[in-house]
Amino acid sequence: MIFVTGDCHGKFHRFNKERFPDQMHMTKNDVVIICGDFGGIWCQPSDLVQQKTEKYWLRWLYEKPFTTLFVDGNHENHARLNDMPVSEWHGGKVHKVWDSVYHLMRGEVYEIEGKRFFTFGGAASHDISDGIIDGADPDWKRQAIRMEMNDKYMYRVKGISWWEEELPSVEEMQNGLDNLAKVGNKVDYIITHCACSTIQNSFAGIYCNDRLTDYLDWIRNTVEYEQWFFGHYHEDFCITPKDRLIYDEIIELKTR
């Protein structure tokens, strides 16, 4: 069994048995895929209180009968994710976050229950219109207070609540092209956090195109796929029969 859902931001209550009763019939061979903004890897290693909360939820997910998979969103601690050891899982590279909790890396292709998945996380943050504060600056907390005193709340702190790695590198994008070429540019499912430029332009007025959305446009026009799931925009909506924005829903994929 394979299920897909949207952004969690570190809050995993949707996977309670009451909300997600299908898990009663699942095993660790079954998976739930989160389309970015997993949020389970977020706080600073020095924040012992938040680290304790984070470990609680990762263990909570581990104790679920299924395996949890996620692509990264923009609201992830990319520095910590990228420091994790890389291993191979179902034909593609992953970061093992916890037992049965895996980060599906950018540009990888996985074989799950006879279906081929292409994954590519990341997105440009839209909640930074008031600027980025450098978290390495000893004065950053005072700068943040001044921001808020001037009613400027759309800011992030580099290295603490924002990372430039939210957008992909050239190497990550090339990795995706290379892996797609190996499978003849044909997959069953595509899992991303943000949408391609064409789709984003059709419904998300506050979002701007960037190198990632343009890259995903190329993927959409070049790769043969059955269905594409993406999160980021906090709605549940079928854009086209093949392209689906997902947030709160948990949808089972057809594997047979």
Side-chain angles (χ1 to χ4, degrees):
M1 302 172 75
I2 303 173
F3 290 84
V4 178
T5 190
D7 309 22
C8 291
H9 294 279
K11 299 176 181 178
F12 305 109
H13 302 91
R14 75 184 65 173
F15 302 129
N16 285 329
K17 292 179 182 178
E18 295 75 17
R19 172 80 202 288
F20 183 38
D22 296 273
Q23 66 187 278
M24 302 298 291
H25 309 289
M26 298 174 74
T27 71
K28 288 297 184 182
N29 292 323
D30 302 308
V31 302
V32 174
I33 305 174
I34 299 168
C35 293
D37 282 355
F38 169 69
I41 301 297
W42 178 253
C43 63
Q44 298 298 305
S46 58
D47 189 336
L48 299 182
V49 174
Q50 288 301 316
Q51 279 285 327
K52 185 175 180 180
T53 300
E54 183 178 287
K55 288 179 180 179
Y56 168 85
W57 283 110
L58 289 174
R59 181 175 294 278
W60 187 86
L61 287 173
Y62 159 71
E63 291 174 350
K64 287 294 176 182
F66 52 83
T67 292
T68 304
L69 311 173
F70 67 96
V71 298
D72 54 280
N74 50 305
H75 292 149
E76 315 282 4
N77 188 325
H78 292 281
R80 286 182 57 203
L81 274 182
N82 292 335
D83 278 345
M84 292 180 176
V86 176
S87 58
E88 188 166 309
W89 183 89
H90 285 248
K93 294 178 181 178
V94 297
H95 287 125
K96 182 180 178 181
V97 175
W98 200 270
D99 287 342
S100 75
V101 181
Y102 298 99
H103 170 222
L104 304 177
M105 296 175 67
R106 296 175 181 178
E108 294 297 308
V109 175
Y110 307 90
E111 295 276 350
I112 309 173
E113 292 195 22
K115 296 295 183 179
R116 189 173 285 158
F117 289 76
F118 174 73
T119 63
F120 209 100
S125 293
H126 66 281
D127 50 358
I128 57 173
S129 58
D130 289 323
I132 300 293
I133 298 172
D134 188 352
D137 187 332
D139 194 47
W140 76 263
K141 290 184 179 179
R142 190 169 298 174
Q143 294 177 48
I145 291 171
R146 283 200 296 266
M147 281 271 201
E148 295 180 12
M149 287 178 64
N150 290 308
D151 294 326
K152 294 183 177 181
Y153 299 97
M154 297 290 279
Y155 70 89
R156 291 270 170 173
V157 182
K158 182 177 180 180
I160 294 176
S161 61
W162 180 86
W163 291 263
E164 59 188 357
E165 293 90 348
E166 66 178 23
L167 286 177
S169 65
V170 172
E171 292 76 16
E172 287 172 327
M173 292 190 287
Q174 187 60 52
N175 180 59
L177 301 182
D178 292 343
N179 285 328
L180 285 169
K182 291 176 184 177
V183 296
N185 283 342
K186 182 177 180 180
V187 296
D188 297 292
Y189 294 101
I190 296 177
I191 306 292
T192 63
H193 184 51
C194 69
C196 66
S197 295
T198 299
I199 289 181
Q200 182 172 263
N201 290 342
S202 71
F203 69 92
I206 67 171
Y207 296 86
C208 298
N209 296 339
D210 51 59
R211 67 176 182 268
L212 174 54
T213 62
D214 289 345
Y215 172 78
L216 295 178
D217 237 9
W218 188 93
I219 298 294
R220 187 169 185 257
N221 292 326
T222 307
V223 176
E224 183 180 346
Y225 64 95
E226 290 183 11
Q227 200 158 25
W228 186 325
F229 289 91
F230 58 94
H232 192 41
Y233 309 98
H234 290 201
E235 290 187 57
D236 291 288
F237 189 66
C238 284
I239 310 298
T240 76
K242 293 179 65 175
D243 304 284
R244 185 159 186 163
L245 164 60
I246 189 166
Y247 178 42
D248 196 49
E249 292 182 328
I250 306 174
I251 297 174
E252 183 176 6
L253 303 187
K254 295 180 179 179
T255 57
R256 293 178 178 83

